[in-house]
Amino acid sequence: MQCSFILVESEVPENVGAAARALNTMGHTDLRLVRPRCDRNSEKAQVLAHGSQAILNAAPIYQHLSEALHDIDLACATTARHRYEKYHYISVQELPQRLWAKGESLQRVAFVFGGERSGLNRQDIDHCDLITTIPQGNPHPSLNLAQAVMVYSFMFSESQTGVHIKDQRLNCTPMPELEYASLKQSALRLMKRIGLAERSQKYATRSLALLGCEDLYLLHNIRACMDRTLDRLETRQTDHVDS
């Protein structure tokens, strides 16, 4: 599983530079910037990137989060505050096990961080599959942006995630290859096909992000069966009208 780290509307150049350094120390290289409000080429950013300027300078810049997620299978929105919308918050402590349980169906994951002042807006959160947070002993102040990036980059470093793959129940059963991103899109098409409300579609796709590999494969079979049944019903209806 490859990890990408996306900073949205970051304002402090030191944080952007320190984030690049955090990724480098944990073996990550994929940093992406969305609507940055500071100059990554500034002296402050470059100094804090110390030894990691290559990652900082190579980070692509996007105007919209959806563009930065173009090759991502599953996106995790990070937040430090409770929101009015009903969300299921996953602790960074249990997130690795949740994601690794999906097996080979999950190839690339993104961790999305909001700006220093107000974090991610609702529109950006809607582009993500699940919401994750870092538990704090004190709610205020929240962690610095670069510190939060450090926590997630550490939790998903190769040395850390290796200990979370010891699920013998999953590993003992060979399963056909299943791509998480394609399953999510096919499930969305089915929900639209049966007329499920858009609000419910969002809840359903976020629930997909909580499922393990075996559950995803079962859901894939259910989805395929429903599509085939609907195809037959539509064909019969068309034949009946033509006759």
Side-chain angles (χ1 to χ4, degrees), residues 150-218:
M150 182 72 242
V151 171
Y152 281 90
S153 61
F154 169 72
M155 291 300 295
F156 284 87
S157 64
E158 185 175 352
S159 60
Q160 278 294 106
T161 54
V163 302
H164 294 290
I165 318 176
K166 303 299 183 181
D167 192 335
Q168 298 300 323
R169 180 179 62 89
L170 292 177
N171 294 338
C172 68
T173 306
M175 296 173 57
E177 182 177 354
L178 173 65
E179 294 183 359
Y180 177 84
S182 63
L183 172 59
K184 183 172 67 174
Q185 292 304 315
S186 60
L188 271 174
R189 286 194 296 269
L190 175 61
M191 288 186 283
K192 292 177 181 177
R193 188 177 184 183
I194 64 177
L196 189 65
E198 184 176 350
R199 182 183 182 88
S200 297
Q201 291 180 33
K202 290 182 179 179
Y203 285 140
T205 52
R206 289 198 179 112
S207 296
L208 283 179
L210 306 178
L211 299 180
C213 185
E214 291 185 339
D215 293 329
L216 287 172
Y217 185 62
L218 175 61

Side-chain angles (χ1 to χ4, degrees), residues 19-197:
R21 182 174 180 175
L23 299 190
N24 192 24
T25 59
M26 292 296 112
H28 303 290
T29 59
D30 191 352
L31 175 65
R32 308 181 187 189
L33 307 177
V34 176
R35 302 187 300 275
R37 297 182 177 180
C38 62
D39 183 8
R40 64 170 169 189
N41 296 317
S42 67
E43 182 179 358
K44 293 179 179 179
Q46 294 291 322
V47 168
L48 265 294
H50 183 67
S52 310
Q53 288 88 349
I55 294 176
L56 177 62
N57 297 335
I61 296 178
Y62 303 89
Q63 286 303 310
H64 302 286
L65 178 57
S66 58
E67 298 170 352
L69 296 173
H70 70 279
D71 60 345
I72 299 299
D73 294 327
L74 186 145
C76 305
T78 65
T79 184
R81 60 189 178 89
H82 184 77
R83 297 171 184 268
Y84 293 110
E85 286 277 343
K86 182 182 178 181
Y87 293 121
H88 182 91
Y89 296 87
I90 299 179
S91 166
V92 67
Q93 296 166 311
E94 63 174 299
L95 187 59
Q97 187 171 1
R98 292 266 194 174
L99 299 187
W100 280 102
K102 302 184 190 310
E104 295 299 322
S105 69
L106 203 57
Q107 296 296 316
R108 184 178 288 276
V109 174
F111 304 100
V112 184
F113 302 83
E116 289 86 345
R117 293 189 184 184
S118 55
L120 294 169
N121 61 39
R122 182 186 297 180
Q123 290 73 26
D124 287 331
I125 286 180
D126 283 343
H127 286 298
C128 298
D129 299 288
L130 54 80
I131 298 183
T132 175
T133 187
I134 301 173
Q136 297 183 198
N138 295 312
H140 301 289
S142 61
L143 285 177
N144 170 274
L145 171 60
Q147 293 173 330
V149 172
M150 182 72 242
V151 171
Y152 281 90
S153 61
F154 169 72
M155 291 300 295
F156 284 87
S157 64
E158 185 175 352
S159 60
Q160 278 294 106
T161 54
V163 302
H164 294 290
I165 318 176
K166 303 299 183 181
D167 192 335
Q168 298 300 323
R169 180 179 62 89
L170 292 177
N171 294 338
C172 68
T173 306
M175 296 173 57
E177 182 177 354
L178 173 65
E179 294 183 359
Y180 177 84
S182 63
L183 172 59
K184 183 172 67 174
Q185 292 304 315
S186 60
L188 271 174
R189 286 194 296 269
L190 175 61
M191 288 186 283
K192 292 177 181 177
R193 188 177 184 183
I194 64 177
L196 189 65

